[in-house]
Amino acid sequence: MGISIFYAYPLFYWLLDPIQFTLCLLKQMPLKTESLLVKATLLFSSSLTVMAGATIAPSLPAMRDHFAATPNADYWVRLVLTVPALFIAIGAPFVGTAIDRFGRKPLLALAVLLYGLAGASGAVLNDLGLILVGRVLLGLSVAGVMTTATALIADYYVGAARVQFLGFQAAFMGLGGVVFLSFGGFLADVNWRMPFFIYLLALLIVPLVVLVLPEPNRTLDGQMLGVDATNVFPWHIAGLTYAAALLSQVVFYLIPVQLPFYLKQLVGANASQVGLAIALATLFSAGSAIAYKQVKARLSFMGIYAIAFLSMAVGYCVISFATTYALALVGLAIAGTGLGLLTPNMNVCLTSVVPASFRGRVLGGLTTAFFLGQFLSPIVSQPLSGMVGLDATYRLGGLLMACMGAIALLLGWRWR
C-alpha cells in the first residue's frame, strides 16, 4: 500500500522531503543510462547554465535606464548579468567535493529548484540590490547544476560515447542560448522584467531529475574501467585547462556584456536585434560542438584548442572593424564556431585523465575557472573600453585569443 501511494503521488512526496524521496526512489530504479529520457534530462539541465546569463542580456540597456537614478547604475546593471558567475566560481569547488562524497542526484534536484525560484525573482523585485541578491542565489544553483550534470555524463558514458555526448551537451547549451536569447530579446522589447520569467521553466525539469536520473555506482564504474583512485592527480593538465578556460571566458563574455552597447552605438540596434546577434554566435557554437566527435577523431586536444582560439581571434577582429550590423554578425558567427569546440574539448580532456574518484572535484574546478572568467570580464572590459573604446577592446580580445592559439600550436608540436 505504501509503495503504491509512493508511485501514485511522487511529486507530493518529493515536495515533503526531496532528499529522502530521491534516496528511496534510487532503491527501486535500475541504471538505464541509454534511455532517451535520461539523456534529455541531462541536456535540458545543462541548458540552464547558458540561460543563467544569456536570457537577460538584451534587457541591460533598458534596465540601466530604469535604474538611472542609482549611483553607478551602469556598473551595477552589468553586474546583474555577471555576479552569478562569481558565485558559481565560489560554489563549484564545494559542489564538486560534495557530489564526490555524497552522490550526484539529490544536489542536482535541489539546485534546479533554487535556480527557477532565484532566477525569476528579478521579475518582481524593485530594488537593484535585492535583484543582485537573487542573482547570487542563482549563481550558487548554477554551480550545482553545471558541475553535477557534467559529472553524471562522465559517470554514465565512456570512450567515444562520452566524447559524443559532451559534444551534444555543449551543442544543446548553444541551441538553448539561441532560443533563450531570441525569446529574451523579444520580451525585453515589451518590458525589461519579462525575460526573468523564463527562469521558471527550470521548475518543469525538477520532476525529471527526481524521477528519471539514476544515481551512478561510481565505485563499480571505476573498477569496470580499470581506474585506480590512487593515481597521481594530473595537476599540470588541470592547471593549463583552468587557465585557458578563465582567459577564454574573459574574452567570450565581451559578447553578452558589451555587445548590446556596442551594437546600439554602432547601428542603433534594439533589444531584439541584440538578442538575435548573440543568438547567432551561440547557434554556430552549437554547430561546431555537434561536430566535436568528428573533429576529435582527427585532431589532438591541442590541435582543437589552436583552431578554437584562432577562430575566436578572427571573429573578434571582424567585430572590432565592423561598420554594419551584417558584418558584426559575420564576426559573431566565426567567433561562435571556435567557442563551440572549447567546452567539450576541456571536459573530455579532463574526464579522460583524472581518476573517477576525483571527477566531481576536477569538474568543479573547471566550472570555477569558466565562471570566474565571466565575472572578471566586465571588471576588466568596462574601464578598458572607457579608455580605448569598445572596438579596440574587441581587437585586444582577439589578440589575446591569437596568442593563446599560438601557444596551443607550440605545445601541440612539443608534446606530439
Side-chain angles (χ1 to χ4, degrees):
M1 178 64 178
I3 293 296
S4 63
I5 295 176
F6 175 85
Y7 282 110
Y9 303 102
L11 184 56
F12 172 75
Y13 276 89
W14 180 82
L15 289 172
L16 286 178
D17 191 340
I19 295 178
Q20 187 60 37
F21 175 85
T22 300
L23 294 175
C24 183
L25 186 64
L26 290 174
K27 297 176 182 178
Q28 315 291 330
M29 203 167 186
L31 185 68
K32 296 181 179 178
T33 57
E34 292 304 317
S35 164
L36 181 60
L37 200 53
V38 168
K39 294 180 178 180
T41 302
L42 289 170
L43 292 175
F44 280 121
S45 298
S46 298
S47 71
L48 298 179
T49 60
V50 69
M51 191 171 91
T55 299
I56 66 164
S59 292
L60 294 186
M63 190 186 301
R64 178 186 59 184
D65 294 340
H66 181 82
F67 291 106
T70 302
N72 298 315
D74 201 46
Y75 179 75
W76 294 116
V77 166
R78 281 174 168 82
L79 279 185
V80 168
L81 181 70
T82 58
V83 76
L86 174 63
F87 285 86
I88 297 169
I90 292 171
F94 298 101
V95 170
T97 300
I99 63 175
D100 276 344
R101 291 184 179 178
F102 306 116
R104 322 290 203 207
K105 186 173 169 177
L107 192 145
L108 180 59
L110 293 173
V112 174
L113 177 64
L114 177 61
Y115 180 101
L117 298 176
S121 65
V124 296
L125 295 174
N126 294 312
D127 180 80
L128 189 54
L130 292 178
I131 291 175
L132 285 169
V133 171
R135 303 296 287 177
V136 166
L137 295 176
L138 178 69
L140 294 174
S141 69
V142 173
V145 172
M146 184 170 184
T147 304
T148 309
T150 304
L152 282 171
I153 292 171
D155 291 335
Y156 291 166
Y157 309 106
V158 296
R162 180 187 295 170
V163 171
Q164 183 177 47
F165 201 89
L166 286 171
F168 285 158
Q169 181 199 33
F172 205 82
M173 291 166 65
L175 292 173
V178 173
V179 174
F180 297 133
L181 276 165
S182 302
F183 194 32
F186 288 119
L187 290 178
D189 278 337
V190 177
N191 187 284
W192 67 266
R193 292 184 183 275
M194 295 297 288
F196 284 94
F197 285 110
I198 299 176
Y199 292 104
L200 292 174
L201 292 173
L203 301 182
L204 301 177
I205 301 175
V206 176
L208 291 175
V209 173
V210 174
L211 298 172
V212 172
L213 294 183
E215 181 72 36
N217 185 334
R218 287 172 289 113
T219 301
L220 179 61
D221 292 344
Q223 293 171 352
M224 291 174 62
L225 295 172
V227 177
D228 181 4
T230 64
N231 285 346
V232 176
F233 187 85
W235 287 109
H236 63 294
I237 295 177
L240 286 173
T241 304
Y242 293 165
L246 188 148
L247 292 174
S248 65
Q249 290 301 300
V250 168
V251 173
F252 159 67
Y253 237 57
L254 290 175
I255 293 177
V257 172
Q258 301 294 356
L259 193 71
F261 304 97
Y262 183 56
L263 290 180
K264 189 173 183 178
Q265 169 189 307
L266 188 67
V267 295
N270 59 30
S272 297
Q273 289 175 307
V274 171
L276 289 172
I278 302 176
L280 180 70
T282 57
L283 178 63
F284 275 81
S285 174
S288 60
I290 289 173
Y292 176 75
K293 181 183 177 182
Q294 288 70 34
V295 175
K296 184 66 189 72
R298 293 169 173 80
L299 296 173
S300 66
F301 288 119
M302 283 299 168
I304 295 174
Y305 280 134
I307 291 174
F309 290 137
L310 293 175
S311 296
M312 291 181 68
V314 172
Y316 275 70
C317 286
V318 171
I319 294 170
S320 73
F321 288 108
T323 56
T324 65
Y325 181 72
L327 190 56
L329 294 182
V330 172
L332 288 165
I334 297 171
T337 301
L339 180 69
L341 295 173
L342 280 180
T343 300
N345 202 51
M346 291 175 179
N347 282 328
V348 172
C349 179
L350 288 179
T351 57
S352 298
V353 299
V354 300
S357 58
F358 285 109
R359 192 170 287 152
R361 278 161 282 185
V362 76
L363 291 173
L366 182 60
T367 300
T368 291
F370 268 126
F371 287 95
L372 183 59
Q374 292 183 13
F375 175 76
L376 292 174
S377 183
I379 295 175
V380 173
S381 66
Q382 189 61 20
L384 182 62
S385 63
M387 289 188 294
V388 302
L390 285 171
D391 54 346
T393 300
Y394 278 103
R395 276 195 292 276
L396 290 172
L399 178 62
L400 177 59
M401 290 295 96
C403 292
M404 292 176 66
I407 292 171
L409 286 173
L410 178 62
L411 290 176
W413 178 77
R414 290 189 62 183
W415 293 351
R416 62 181 177 176

